[in-house]
Amino acid sequence: MMKYDAPMANLVTRPQPYVMDTTKEKKIRSVAIIGAGAAGAVTAAAFKAERYFEQIRVFERRERPGGTWIYDASPTASLPINPGALAPEVDPPLPIPANLPTTTPPNKQERYAKTSIYDDLTTNVPSIAMSFSDLPFPYGPFCPHYIPQQYIASYFSHHRTDTFLALNTTLENLSKLPPALPGGLNRWKLTLRRHDSLQNIDSWWEEEFDAVILANGHYSVPYIPHVPGLKEYTLAFPNKIQHSKTYRSAYPYKDKRVLIIGNSASGHDLSISLLPVAASPLYISRRSPSRWDGPLPPEGIVWKPTISSYNPHTGKITFSDGTHLDQTDIDAVIYCTGYQPSFPFWNTASNGRELWDYTQGGRLVNNYQHTFLQDFPSLGLVGIPRVLTFRGFEYQAVALARYWVGRATLPSVEEQKAWEDKRLEKVGREGKKFHDIPWEDGQTFAWLGWLYRFAGLGTLKGEGRRPPVLGEDVRWAVENVRKYPVKLGRDGNEVTQEEERDWVLVEGERKDLLAFI
């Protein structure tokens, strides 16, 4: 069972009591929300519920809401392969026109706007834990990808926040502005671009807001690790190397010899899809066993260790154990190695520092509770931690809304820095990623509990949304309902499981229960 009194809970500063901030110059009345995915949808609803803000705008670069769940049947034919390159190199900012507003020829630079949704993708979080607290998914526990997309669009309509949407509009530059009055909070200037497909031009303009929430997700820019010879290999054998972002179905790989790199959620999904279609055997290169791996690979699959080098001259792929595959052994290599958060709109020169540190797995710089920024109190983020996706976003959104209304007060900057220092020390010591919040040792519960207490209740008159309760039914689903069977228990033995259609109930458990996200 989960230990809700885990040591990590001691690192969380208790929220301060409600204090209504009546200082006029510090009031936030206009808010821009970047992104109309799940994080943007619940943030818009939370801010509207306060009945306080005079202007709420949601900017979305796609033509409809849905975020990463929008399905693109025709992905970008071939994305550039840049082994080891970080998001700022792969997804650089666009040059801003000198005089705004203006129009320009349409942008030709790859912006990674198309999603990574493949045909048979289903959710991997139980629907009761994934849906927002006030509107359940139509069915579950796991559903096809078009259900979350429809759900997000319906959520905007359900709360009548669809009027806040500015679709087909990309944030290209975010720069802080001086406070409107001395002693006030920094405001923000947004440089925006909208493509007009009818006239085939891009329109550029600027808008200013008291506060901004970044809810733009972090599953857009693919990451491929550096391997000696890989860059040269991609030039010698064009289109042989790809990332799972451009994968849509198994049919193009019929009778092809395929090597999958990575065995997390997407790698596992692709192996299931490709196994009956691709030539046998299907090779999977893995750094370590996943929680659904048994002692032996399934029939038709060969496990390989990590790749140590590519030979662009012979086409040979060599693995860390000294074994290799020749050029004629493999037709396609699919990297299922994840994504990096990208903020090409962040103006480092104007804002005085980087927003994201890409070293050691990446982290949000100078953050507090993965939601607030110590030196930018009028800038918030929703959706960075890898926890209970939709439901976790809801806690963050409500907390930010309460804070900017003035009914909740953060600890001092010194206390915020102490919190981050302790977390960085703990995470670094345990070798985890900085934006992971494990479920099993109580860290997720402690984090959501802090946001819950910080937000508190709405007003007696009904202003403000109440953060959801993380009830027994939700906790049970997270701990017991699995999209795939978990093959290994803590002692290395197979756990007892009761099969239920295409998902299972498990009686065993293994850290970390949120590792599938």
Side-chain angles (χ1 to χ4, degrees):
M1 296 296 293
M2 296 190 302
K3 301 179 282 296
Y4 301 137
D5 58 347
M8 189 59 193
N10 297 329
L11 304 183
V12 181
T13 305
R14 292 185 61 83
Q16 303 298 308
Y18 283 178
V19 177
M20 176 64 82
D21 185 355
T22 57
T23 308
K24 291 183 179 180
E25 61 267 21
K26 290 189 177 181
K27 283 190 176 180
I28 291 175
R29 291 294 191 177
S30 61
V31 177
I33 301 169
I34 311 304
V42 75
T43 301
F47 273 68
K48 180 186 178 183
E50 296 292 339
R51 302 177 193 171
Y52 172 87
F53 300 98
E54 297 171 357
Q55 183 186 28
I56 302 171
R57 295 259 279 164
V58 182
F59 296 102
E60 168 56 48
R61 62 180 179 171
R62 303 297 300 266
E63 295 180 349
R64 53 186 171 139
T68 192
W69 292 100
I70 295 175
Y71 175 72
D72 293 304
S74 300
T76 305
S78 60
L79 293 173
I81 304 296
N82 297 289
L86 302 178
E89 305 169 75
V90 178
D91 187 25
L94 295 186
I96 306 298
N99 299 305
L100 299 176
T102 190
T103 59
T104 63
N107 167 59
K108 299 297 183 183
Q109 179 179 311
E110 176 61 53
R111 301 310 304 278
Y112 301 92
K114 291 189 175 183
T115 70
S116 56
I117 299 295
Y118 36 92
D119 289 356
D120 50 3
L121 176 68
T122 62
T123 58
N124 59 8
V125 179
S127 57
I128 189 174
M130 184 171 177
S131 58
F132 300 129
S133 61
D134 60 338
L135 188 68
F137 270 26
Y139 62 85
F142 305 105
C143 55
H145 57 77
Y146 54 81
I147 294 299
Q149 190 278 318
Q150 294 171 353
Y151 175 86
I152 293 168
S154 298
Y155 200 79
F156 276 101
S157 301
H158 177 75
H159 286 280
R160 299 187 181 182
T161 52
D162 47 358
T163 57
F164 300 166
L165 288 168
L167 299 174
N168 200 25
T169 302
T170 303
L171 174 63
E172 298 294 0
N173 188 284
L174 179 63
S175 300
K176 70 176 182 179
L177 295 171
L181 296 172
L185 301 179
N186 283 111
R187 303 181 75 248
W188 297 92
K189 179 176 70 175
L190 282 63
T191 303
L192 302 156
R193 178 179 60 87
R194 176 180 294 145
H195 178 63
D196 184 335
S197 57
L198 187 62
Q199 301 183 69
N200 196 32
I201 59 172
D202 285 354
S203 297
W204 295 75
W205 74 99
E206 294 176 340
E207 294 188 28
E208 296 181 4
F209 290 86
D210 295 332
V212 174
I213 295 176
L214 303 182
N216 56 305
H218 44 92
Y219 293 111
S220 295
V221 178
Y223 177 73
I224 293 180
H226 170 74
V227 179
L230 177 54
K231 184 65 176 178
E232 295 78 9
Y233 191 94
T234 63
L235 300 176
F237 302 96
N239 302 320
K240 190 169 184 176
I241 307 290
Q242 70 174 100
H243 190 276
S244 59
K245 182 178 175 72
T246 60
Y247 177 92
R248 290 298 177 268
S249 77
Y251 296 112
Y253 303 91
K254 180 175 175 58
D255 298 327
K256 298 288 183 66
R257 296 155 296 186
V258 180
L259 168 63
I260 294 175
I261 312 297
N263 66 330
S264 59
S266 59
H268 188 62
D269 277 356
L270 265 61
S271 68
I272 292 175
S273 180
L274 287 167
L275 187 58
V277 175
S280 185
L282 175 67
Y283 296 95
I284 299 178
S285 169
R286 56 182 202 156
R287 186 175 300 277
S288 59
S290 70
R291 64 184 187 87
W292 41 67
D293 286 339
L296 297 173
E299 184 178 354
I301 289 179
V302 172
W303 286 337
K304 303 294 289 184
T306 56
I307 297 175
S308 59
S309 67
Y310 287 85
N311 190 318
H313 305 293
T314 65
K316 184 166 69 174
I317 302 173
T318 303
F319 298 91
S320 59
D321 62 354
T323 61
H324 70 271
L325 293 171
D326 290 324
Q327 191 270 332
T328 54
D329 294 329
I330 293 297
D331 298 309
V333 179
I334 306 175
Y335 271 85
C336 300
T337 45
Y339 300 83
Q340 288 191 331
S342 183
F343 308 93
F345 49 77
W346 180 257
N347 191 324
T348 302
S350 172
N351 301 331
R353 67 167 176 86
E354 299 287 351
L355 182 66
W356 189 266
D357 179 1
Y358 287 90
T359 63
Q360 298 179 310
R363 70 180 181 91
L364 185 63
V365 178
N366 290 354
N367 84 95
Y368 182 61
Q369 301 293 344
H370 311 279
T371 306
F372 309 92
L373 293 175
Q374 299 160 15
D375 47 349
F376 296 124
S378 57
L379 183 68
L381 291 96
V382 174
I384 287 296
R386 302 197 311 170
V387 288
L388 288 179
T389 55
F390 289 40
R391 188 61 63 92
F393 305 161
E394 187 171 352
Y395 287 91
Q396 290 182 284
V398 176
L400 278 166
R402 290 284 203 280
Y403 174 52
W404 285 344
V405 164
R407 288 194 286 112
T409 304
L410 289 174
S412 67
V413 172
E414 290 71 25
E415 290 177 280
Q416 294 181 44
K417 288 181 178 178
W419 173 87
E420 186 180 27
D421 290 343
K422 289 180 180 179
R423 174 163 175 80
L424 294 181
E425 179 183 353
K426 177 180 177 61
V427 172
R429 184 171 62 247
E430 297 183 357
K432 299 176 181 177
K433 291 185 177 180
F434 290 120
H435 54 288
D436 282 352
I437 304 181
W439 173 275
E440 180 58 26
D441 63 2
Q443 288 189 42
T444 295
F445 200 81
W447 178 61
L448 296 179
W450 187 94
L451 293 169
Y452 181 92
R453 296 189 300 274
F454 178 79
L457 299 175
T459 68
L460 180 63
K461 295 181 180 180
E463 292 90 354
R465 181 177 177 133
R466 181 173 182 173
V469 172
L470 198 63
E472 182 178 354
D473 52 352
V474 175
R475 301 197 307 274
W476 180 89
V478 171
E479 295 172 356
N480 294 278
V481 181
R482 296 283 182 273
K483 180 178 176 180
Y484 299 121
V486 179
K487 298 293 180 64
L488 297 177
R490 288 187 177 183
D491 57 359
N493 298 319
E494 184 174 352
V495 298
T496 303
Q497 49 184 258
E498 175 189 345
E499 295 200 14
E500 296 278 352
R501 297 182 183 176
D502 57 348
W503 51 280
V504 298
L505 298 178
V506 298
E507 296 178 10
E509 56 183 324
R510 182 188 180 198
K511 285 189 177 182
D512 171 23
L513 296 179
L514 293 183
F516 54 81
I517 297 179

